[in-house]
Amino acid sequence: MATCPECDAEIEVDEFDVDKGDQLSCPECGSTLEVTGLSPIELELSPDDDDEDEDEEDEEEAEDDELDDEEEEDEEDGGDWEE
């Protein structure tokens, strides 16, 4: 038995079914957890889980900025063709 570090829920984990570094999902709060110890089973929040939502938003914003820059360049270059 292990405990979720996020919500303190008891998670049933068989130490023979997991290896150190494996990732699990808490059935109560949905956090992604990493197995950091085997005997006894120790779980920590996965580093990817902490920033996952923020990283996705940052990537979308960066893509939007790149598209906006390309559109502005196309408009500037397009002005020569209209004469």
Side-chain angles (χ1 to χ4, degrees):
M1 199 63 86
T3 304
C4 173
E6 183 72 15
C7 69
D8 293 327
E10 299 234 347
I11 303 172
E12 189 171 332
V13 181
D14 186 349
E15 65 185 72
F16 299 108
D17 289 340
V18 295
D19 291 319
K20 199 171 187 180
D22 284 355
Q23 292 191 345
L24 308 170
S25 181
C26 175
E28 292 296 317
C29 68
S31 293
T32 303
L33 308 172
E34 184 173 339
V35 178
T36 57
L38 295 176
S39 189
I41 297 288
E42 294 178 18
L43 302 174
E44 290 184 11
L45 280 176
S46 175
D48 296 335
D49 191 46
D50 295 338
D51 298 327
E52 189 171 307
D53 294 334
E54 292 174 14
D55 289 343
E56 289 174 5
E57 290 174 9
D58 290 344
E59 288 174 13
E60 289 173 5
E61 287 177 15
E63 289 173 7
D64 289 344
D65 288 344
E66 287 177 20
L67 290 175
D68 289 343
D69 291 343
E70 288 176 12
E71 288 174 2
E72 287 176 12
E73 288 175 10
D74 289 344
E75 288 175 8
E76 290 173 7
D77 292 341
D80 296 338
W81 296 100
E82 291 179 14
E83 290 181 25

